[in-house]
Amino acid sequence: MAKVRSVYICRECGYESAKWNGKCPECGQWNTFEESEAAPVKAASSKSRSTAVYSSDSILSLDRIDSDYHETRYSTGLTELDRVLGGGLVKGSLVLLGGEPGIGKSTLLLQICKHLGKNKTVLYVSGEESARQIKLRADRLGVKDVSLGILAKNDAEAICTTIEKEKPDVAIIDSIQTMSIAGINSSQGSISQVRECTNLFMHTAKNMEIPVFIVGHVNKDGAIAGPKVMEHIVDAVLYFEGQQNMSYRILRAEKNRFGSTNEIGVFEMNDDGLSQVANPSEMLLAGRPWNVSGNCVACVIEGTRPILAEVQALVAKSAFSAPRRTSSGFDYNRLYLILAVLEKRCGLFFGGLDVYINIVGGLWLDDPSADLPIAMALYSSVTDKMISDKITAFGEIGLGGEVRSASYIKQRIAEAERLGFEKCIVPSQSLKNIDTKKFGVKVIGVSNIKQAFAEI
Ligand code: TYD
Ligand code: MG
């Protein structure tokens, strides 16, 4: 009998090795190798290559392929989720919804059944909760009078066969870590089980042309357990983020074959499930202090939507010889760059001072135009000069201290106006073709950071 060959696979990044390693050479994580059965390898030499060939009919001309938009996309009933998906759920797509345990993944998916189940059949497969527990949750969420089937099982092959037989319009698998294939000699949630189960669901989604959602728990480092191997199989990877003790949640696309990955969706967890937050700026700015220095409101673009977020900076005397710099929600290296520009171009010195930056609401600002509000917040904190709560700013900062142009100017100014701001500090470069008098907010163009500071 042929000997079964083993391979060792890294749980974090999927790197395969013939021998066990303490440290993964690919991702550098320790103690992540798991033993797994290697798939039999067939030599692909020309001698042994199969003679099968696809007929010319199987090659479709691009113009003849039907891609009617309304046919191939379903609305989930939650506009925030639809936006992150790129305009709705695509037929035949496999969507991975990742997030920490308890963040609200099952709640979100059960809630979309409320809308989808009205005119479509949905199969909800749960390997985590019993049918009765799901029913209790559905009652609480007000999911009733829908065609929703619950299957509390975890044999992935049997589930796929059931999907092929029952032909639901949408299938939900909660969660991939509880699914298993009997023929694979490793435990549930192991890398080979997760990979093979995902492959199986992918085939089912493509064959049946139905959208399939897969829930994946992330481990404490933020990676989906059994992670990268899954991310490249599926069509879209959505992450559900937020802090357990805060009520709002942010849905973000990490990968999307059918839409942009810049969009975010904002939800709030209430007693009766998740509700959509159509105006995240209002939520993010609620409860803002108005009489302290170091606060500035940034107007950034997330995807195609302007969002106003509060930037907080605290500059304090350091007790250490090497002062601390911490940044939450903003790129750490970018903070160093801004500090260097402030030192060199404005003569503000941060040596011997600790610097803390925080973006309120767990938001991550990767729009370069967050530079100016960060610089203003730092300036405000170091000089102890308060910035009025009616001022908002945006603009990228260059190494010469210049404020560079930004995109979506009109949308940003309109959002500031809508939320009752009185002054909007913007890069003057961007105002060339814009009539600033049209807005109900005073628009001030600045070309360098000194001019911006003079407006505080
Ligand atoms: P859940 O969807 O079970 O999380 P996941 O599937 O990501 O592990 O969400 C569980 C959390 O949500 C739990 O802490 C309670 C909270 N929750 C509410 O606050 N309100 C609700 O209506 C529901 C259903 C859950
Ligand atoms: Mg769950």
Side-chain angles (χ1 to χ4, degrees), residues 44-119:
S45 71
S46 54
K47 267 187 210 155
S48 61
R49 205 168 81 184
S50 104
T51 49
V53 61
Y54 293 112
S55 73
S56 40
D57 290 350
S58 25
I59 304 171
L60 301 174
S61 155
L62 187 65
D63 327 321
R64 279 177 38 217
I65 303 172
D66 177 26
S67 66
D68 188 1
Y69 186 83
H70 296 289
E71 275 288 311
T72 52
R73 286 202 190 240
Y74 299 154
S75 166
T76 60
L78 293 173
T79 41
E80 294 289 303
L81 176 59
D82 285 349
R83 176 168 346 98
V84 178
L85 285 168
L89 197 51
V90 177
K91 263 192 194 171
S93 67
L94 187 66
V95 180
L96 171 63
L97 178 63
E100 283 177 21
I103 205 79
K105 301 179 294 295
S106 309
T107 309
L108 180 74
L109 292 179
L110 201 54
Q111 254 178 284
I112 62 171
C113 297
K114 204 166 161 178
H115 174 83
L116 285 172
K118 289 249 159 66
N119 45 19

Side-chain angles (χ1 to χ4, degrees), residues 125-129 151-156 159 172-181 187-190 193-194 197 201 214-217 225 230:
V125 184
S126 179
E128 293 191 345
E129 290 163 288
L151 182 66
K153 296 279 183 249
N154 44 24
D155 178 346
I159 290 167
I172 295 169
I173 314 293
D174 187 3
S175 65
I176 194 72
Q177 278 91 6
T178 58
M179 296 294 144
S180 61
I181 296 175
S187 58
Q188 272 181 356
S190 71
Q193 286 285 9
V194 165
C197 291
F201 291 122
I214 293 186
V215 170
H217 293 293
M230 236 168 131

